[in-house]
Amino acid sequence: MKTELSIEFFPPQTPEGVEKLRAARARLAVLEPEFFSVTYGAGGSTRERTFAAVKEIAAEGHQAAPHLSCIGSTRASLREILGDYIGAGIRRVVALRGDLPSGMAETGEFRHANELVEFIRAETGEHFHIEVAAYPEWHPQSRAPVDDLAAFATKIKAGADSAITQYFYNADAYFHFVDAARALGVDVPIIPGIMPINGFSKLARFSDACGAELPRWMRRKFEGFGDDTESIRAFGLDVVTRLCERLLRGGAPGLHFYSMNQAELTLEIHRRLTGN
Ligand code: FAD
C-alpha cells in the first residue's frame, strides 16, 4: 500500500541541531514524502532559520513547504518573504495566522489566516500550492464549533488547496470534521496531522496548550507506566499506528507527520502500516 506522506520539521537553533535534522531527513527521505514542511515562529522569529532549512531541503531535491504566519506581520514583510521563496524555487506554503509571542502587542496588518491566503493569491497568483490548518477538535479560541467550521470554510474559499489538521487521537473527531466541512462545500483534501508519541509529560503539556485532547484512557495508561520509557514508546506506537490504520481505511487522503525532527517513530509507524 502506498500512502501519501508529508513530514514536518522545526527549524533547528544550533549547528548540532542542523546536523541532527540532516541525519533525520536522510533517513526519512526513503519514505519519499510528497513534501517536507518547516515551521515558522510567529512574529517572524525564525524567518532566517526557516528559510535556511527550506533551501537545504530543496537543494537535496525534495519538495519543501515553509510555514508562514501572518499575525504581527506587515504586508511589506510578507511580500518580501514570498519573493524570497519564489526566488528559491519554492512552490508550496502552509499559511497560518499563528499566535502572538508573549510580550508582543502589535497584531500587525492581518487578523486571520484567510486574509493571508487572500494576500498570497493576490500577490503571487497560482504560483503556490497553499495548505491551511484545520482543527477536528476545534481551535481553542473558537467560540463554538459552528464558528470554527465556518472560519475554516472561509479560509478554503479564499484560495487554499488543501488542509492539514492539528493532531488528535480520536479518529471520529476527524471523520466528523471532514463530513461537516464537505456539507459546507469544502472539497479540498484534509490531511490528518499525526503526532507520534515519544514521551508523556511533554505531550500532555503541549496538548493542553494547543487544545488537542489526550483521551483519559491514554493518560491513565501513560501515567501508570511512570518512568518506563520502553512501555511508553511501545504503547504510543500501538495507539498511533492503529489511529493511522483507521484514518486510511476511512478514506483519509494521506498522513502528515509531526516528526519533531526525529526519524525513528515515523519510520516505525510507516513500517507497521505498509509492512516495509
Ligand atoms: P485562523 O484560521 O485564523 O484561526 C484562528 C482562530 O480564529 C480560530 O478560532 C478561528 O475559528 C477564528 N477565525 C478564523 N478566521 C476567522 C474570521 N475570518 N473571522 C472570525 N474568526 C476567525 N503556529 C506557528 O506559530 N508556526 C507554525 O509553523 C505552525 N504550524 C502549524 C501547522 C499546522 C498543520 C497546524 C494545525 C497549526 C500550526 N500552527 C503553527 C499553530 C497555529 O498557528 C495556531 O493554532 C493559531 O492559533 C491559529 O492559526 P490558524 O492559521 O489556524 O488561524
Side-chain angles (χ1 to χ4, degrees):
M1 179 185 55
K2 171 95 174 103
T3 305
E4 289 296 336
L5 289 185
S6 50
I7 300 174
E8 181 171 313
F9 302 125
F10 58 83
Q13 292 206 30
T14 60
E16 298 74 43
V18 171
E19 278 307 321
K20 271 171 110 173
L21 177 56
R22 267 183 207 138
R25 206 162 56 230
R27 296 183 65 202
L28 289 164
V30 302
L31 304 183
E32 298 179 354
E34 207 182 335
F35 63 92
F36 287 121
S37 81
V38 184
T39 61
Y40 184 81
S45 56
T46 69
R47 178 171 167 174
E48 299 306 326
R49 286 187 281 123
T50 298
F51 191 37
V54 157
K55 278 193 291 192
E56 197 171 316
I57 291 168
E60 289 167 356
H62 307 297
Q63 195 177 154
H67 295 208
L68 183 59
S69 65
C70 59
I71 196 88
S73 299
T74 60
R75 284 181 173 71
S77 68
L78 292 181
R79 188 174 292 125
E80 199 178 290
I81 295 172
L82 291 168
D84 287 346
Y85 287 141
I86 291 174
I90 303 303
R91 303 296 308 234
R92 188 185 278 261
V93 288
V94 183
L96 303 145
R97 183 197 70 176
D99 296 304
L100 267 190
S102 55
M104 188 168 172
E106 281 299 318
T107 54
E109 294 177 2
F110 296 82
R111 292 188 35 234
H112 294 291
N114 64 293
E115 296 166 19
L116 176 60
V117 175
E118 273 166 28
F119 179 75
I120 297 172
R121 283 285 174 245
E123 292 283 318
T124 66
E126 295 302 311
H127 178 86
F128 290 105
H129 178 111
I130 304 178
E131 308 268 358
V132 290
Y135 301 86
E137 295 174 336
W138 316 116
H139 186 265
Q141 290 160 7
S142 62
R143 274 179 312 182
V146 67
D147 295 338
D148 206 26
L149 192 67
F152 175 65
T154 303
K155 201 156 60 167
I156 300 297
K157 284 175 189 145
D161 297 293
S162 46
I164 301 171
T165 76
Q166 182 59 279
Y167 69 88
F168 55 87
Y169 295 104
N170 173 358
D172 287 327
Y174 169 80
F175 292 128
H176 186 86
F177 180 83
V178 172
D179 286 348
R182 299 286 178 248
L184 279 188
V186 170
D187 58 2
V188 302
I190 301 173
I191 317 287
I194 304 296
M195 180 70 88
I197 300 174
N198 205 6
F200 169 60
S201 29
K202 211 164 144 194
L203 179 69
R205 275 200 308 277
F206 194 52
S207 302
D208 289 344
C210 71
E213 188 196 21
L214 254 188
R216 177 185 147 89
W217 70 276
M218 283 175 61
R219 276 187 191 259
R220 296 300 305 269
K221 283 276 276 193
F222 280 123
E223 282 160 5
F225 291 135
D227 294 334
D228 179 357
T229 49
E230 269 308 297
S231 298
I232 292 174
R233 185 177 182 279
F235 176 62
L237 277 169
D238 281 349
V239 168
V240 177
T241 306
R242 273 196 223 177
L243 171 69
C244 294
E245 279 166 355
R246 217 183 136 203
L247 291 168
L248 293 171
R249 259 202 325 270
L255 300 170
H256 176 84
F257 280 93
Y258 295 107
S259 77
M260 308 306 282
N261 292 8
Q262 293 182 11
E264 199 56 45
L265 293 175
T266 300
L267 288 170
E268 178 59 19
I269 293 164
H270 184 267
R271 193 186 62 72
R272 292 182 184 200
L273 287 174
T274 60
N276 53 50

